[in-house]
């Protein structure tokens, strides 16, 4: 009994650390972005120097830095599914490259990469959990559950969705630039009720730490949440066309990935050349479409305030461009995840279509984003659970139908990179 209580306390502590780590990572990322993307261009403008091509120059320089980093330290961080697959299969994740995983995840985000932060954070937390487990032998066979629970905790903290954090380690989340895949199930060594309890304790610790740090120092990271949605005759009439556009954008993710992998293969074992190519493309697109840069958290909040002042064409171009740019970043060495940028792509498309149709914007966002993410993730229920971090629960029917329709669109096997 005492061992179980002690293990529960360790689980809560690890969960809290995972939440604090996620908050700190977002804080560093946002502080660095503010310095590099706001203060620096403003200083240039004050000196009378043009800042219009700043994205092109800075993203290309970022490609050089990221490429040199990869050349020296290797391809870190690993993607989220790779980390969790290792944990599920072996009960551990090797921790000899935690520093490389941390900085490898942070650098692309600082240079404006259209990628998400989840890959690096998951690897660092799993590695740290394994490191502690190697020094606390009394934890024994339950170390596997603690490592998995820590992954669940950091995922819940990143996405601010407890249910998604609990579900991802169990079923996988297609967090792979090569296309949808699931983590293979392995036999567990502890009873299912204990496993559920461990997950819940870890996620509660993570979200509690995030909430406390946000209360004391201000919120750090995460997508904003839309609180209201309207259903009417106009919205229902436009539902299927909206979902069709979102599905098309999600489908585009796969040929874009195939093209990016073909370019990566052509460039061969030249990490600097690959990263510079991705940076130049990202910077060129970002010069014309500024919202195509970054993961999308802060940009979603900004767009929610100004979307009525942006043309529908610009919004639609941003959404489709972001889907393509994300794949080129991921496959040419700007390592990270795809969840945040693709959610933002759906939001940009939804606002563009709301401008054209005049319907409720949140309904449009739900329909388009649900279909886009459903087409990419191929798991409608997981898609809906993930998108609850952004959209109200009242939008659940729209999200589920859109995700289901998106997941039905076939994707040629040659585009999946298997």
């Amino acid at each position: 009994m005492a061992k179980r209580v002690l293990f529960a306390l360790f689980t809560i502590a690890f969960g809290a650390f995972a939440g604090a780590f996620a908050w700190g990572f977002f804080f560093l990322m946002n502080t660095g972005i503010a310095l590099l993307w706001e203060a620096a261009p403003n200083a240039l403008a004050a000196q009378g120097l043009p800042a219009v091509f700043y994205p092109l120059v800075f993203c290309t320089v970022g490609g050089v830095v990221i490429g040199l980093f990869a050349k020296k330290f290797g391809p870190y961080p690993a993607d989220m599914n790779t980390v969790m697959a290792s944990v599920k299969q072996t009960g551990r994740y090797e921790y000899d490259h935690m520093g490389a995983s941390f900085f490898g995840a942070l650098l692309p985000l600082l240079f404006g990469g259209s990628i998400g932060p989840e890959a690096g954070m998951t690897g660092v937390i799993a590695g740290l959990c394994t490191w502690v487990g190697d020094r606390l032998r009394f934890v024994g066979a339950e170390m596997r559950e603690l490592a998995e629970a820590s992954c669940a905790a950091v995922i819940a903290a990143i996405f601010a969705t407890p249910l998604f954090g609990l579900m991802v380690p169990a079923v996988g989340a297609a967090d792979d630039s090569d296309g949808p895949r699931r983590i293979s199930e392995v036999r567990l060594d502890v009873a299912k009720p204990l496993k559920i309890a461990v997950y819940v304790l870890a996620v509660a610790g993570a979200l509690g730490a995030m909430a406390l740090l946000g209360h004391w120092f201000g919120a750090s990271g995460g997508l904003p949440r839309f609180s209201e949605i309207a259903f009417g005759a106009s919205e229902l009439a436009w539902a299927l066309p909206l979902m069709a556009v979102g599905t098309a954008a999600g489908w585009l993710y796969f040929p874009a990935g195939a093209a990016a992998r073909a370019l990566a293969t052509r460039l061969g074992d030249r990490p600097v050349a690959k990263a510079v190519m991705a940076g130049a493309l990202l910077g060129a697109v970002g010069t014309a479409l500024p919202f195509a840069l970054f993961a999308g958290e802060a940009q979603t909040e900004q767009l929610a305030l100004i979307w009525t002042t942006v043309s529908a064409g610009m919004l639609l171009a941003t959404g489709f461009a972001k889907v393509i740019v994300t794949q080129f970043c991921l496959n040419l060495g700007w390592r990270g995840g795809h969840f945040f940028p693709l959610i933002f792509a759906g939001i940009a498309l939804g606002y563009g279509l709301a401008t054209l149709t005049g319907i409720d914007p949140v309904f449009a966002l739900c329909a388009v984003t649900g279909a886009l993410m459903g087409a990419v993730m191929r798991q409608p229920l997981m898609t809906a659970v993930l998108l609850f971090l952004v959209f109200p629960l009242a939008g659940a029917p729209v999200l589920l139908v859109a995700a289901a329709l998106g997941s039905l669109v076939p994707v040629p096997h040659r585009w999946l990179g298997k």
Side-chain angles (χ1 to χ4, degrees):
M1 181 64 182
K3 181 182 177 181
R4 288 292 174 87
V5 172
L6 186 59
F7 182 70
L9 293 176
F10 268 111
T11 301
I12 296 172
F14 265 101
F17 178 81
F21 176 77
W23 186 93
F25 187 94
F26 278 123
F27 177 80
L28 287 175
M29 180 186 76
N30 291 333
T31 301
I33 289 173
L35 176 65
L36 297 172
W37 289 92
E38 295 176 19
N42 290 341
L44 290 175
Q47 298 297 320
L49 299 174
V52 63
F53 294 111
Y54 186 84
L56 177 59
V57 174
F58 193 63
C59 289
T60 304
V61 171
V64 175
V65 175
I66 292 166
L68 291 174
F69 179 91
K71 187 173 183 178
K72 180 173 178 59
F73 297 103
Y76 294 101
D79 67 77
M80 190 171 74
N81 266 7
T82 298
V83 173
M84 290 190 297
S86 175
V87 171
K88 290 184 78 70
Q89 292 164 6
T90 68
R92 58 188 291 113
Y93 185 72
E94 297 307 325
Y95 44 81
D96 49 344
H97 296 292
M98 283 195 297
S101 293
F102 179 85
F103 289 105
L106 186 60
L107 281 175
L109 295 166
L110 294 179
F111 283 104
S114 181
I115 56 173
E118 61 269 19
M121 286 198 245
T122 308
V124 172
I125 291 298
L128 182 66
C129 183
T130 302
W131 181 84
V132 172
D134 286 348
R135 285 150 182 79
L136 298 177
R137 298 294 184 181
F138 69 89
V139 176
E142 292 170 328
M143 195 62 231
R144 179 192 300 274
E145 277 59 48
L146 184 56
E148 289 187 37
S150 296
C151 290
V154 76
I155 293 166
I158 294 167
F159 296 105
T161 50
L163 189 56
F164 188 68
L166 292 170
M167 291 177 68
V168 166
V171 302
D175 185 30
D176 190 328
S177 60
D178 291 343
R181 66 173 178 172
R182 294 173 183 268
I183 299 171
S184 57
E185 293 292 336
V186 295
R187 184 176 177 275
L188 300 175
D189 296 327
V190 297
K192 189 174 182 180
L194 176 59
K195 181 180 181 66
I196 294 173
V198 169
Y199 274 45
V200 170
L201 288 174
V203 169
L207 295 179
M210 286 282 284
L212 284 175
L213 289 169
H215 176 72
W216 291 334
F217 304 106
S220 180
L223 290 162
R225 184 173 178 80
F226 299 92
S227 58
E228 297 181 0
I229 184 172
F231 293 85
S234 296
E235 283 74 25
L236 294 177
W238 280 104
L240 288 178
L242 293 171
M243 293 175 190
V245 173
T247 299
W251 180 88
L252 179 64
Y253 183 75
F254 296 103
R261 287 189 295 275
L263 177 59
T265 300
R266 191 173 185 84
L267 291 172
D269 187 22
R270 296 191 288 173
V272 178
K274 292 178 182 178
V276 169
M277 186 76 72
L281 174 63
L282 176 68
V285 174
T287 299
L289 303 168
F291 280 109
L293 298 167
F294 306 109
E297 309 102 306
Q299 290 67 42
T300 297
E301 190 169 356
Q302 294 167 11
L303 196 58
L305 297 174
I306 67 167
W307 70 274
T308 55
T309 67
V310 182
S311 71
M314 182 74 75
L315 291 167
L316 293 173
T318 296
F320 283 109
K322 197 162 185 69
V323 171
I324 296 170
V325 169
T326 296
Q327 277 285 32
F328 276 84
C329 284
L330 291 173
N331 285 285
L332 293 175
W334 292 52
R335 304 185 66 82
H338 67 260
F339 286 117
F340 282 175
L342 291 187
I343 291 172
F344 178 82
I347 289 171
L349 291 169
Y351 275 135
L353 293 169
T355 299
L356 292 175
T357 62
I359 65 172
D360 177 68
V362 178
F363 182 93
L365 302 187
C366 282
V368 177
T369 310
L372 190 160
M373 295 303 296
V376 172
M377 293 177 65
R378 322 302 285 183
Q379 299 178 59
L381 181 58
M382 288 290 290
T383 300
V385 170
L386 169 64
L387 293 180
F388 286 151
L389 89 148
V390 183
F391 302 116
L393 288 175
V398 183
L399 292 174
L400 283 169
V401 172
L405 290 177
S407 67
L408 293 176
V409 176
V411 178
H413 187 75
R414 68 181 182 277
W415 288 350
L416 300 182
K418 299 303 182 187

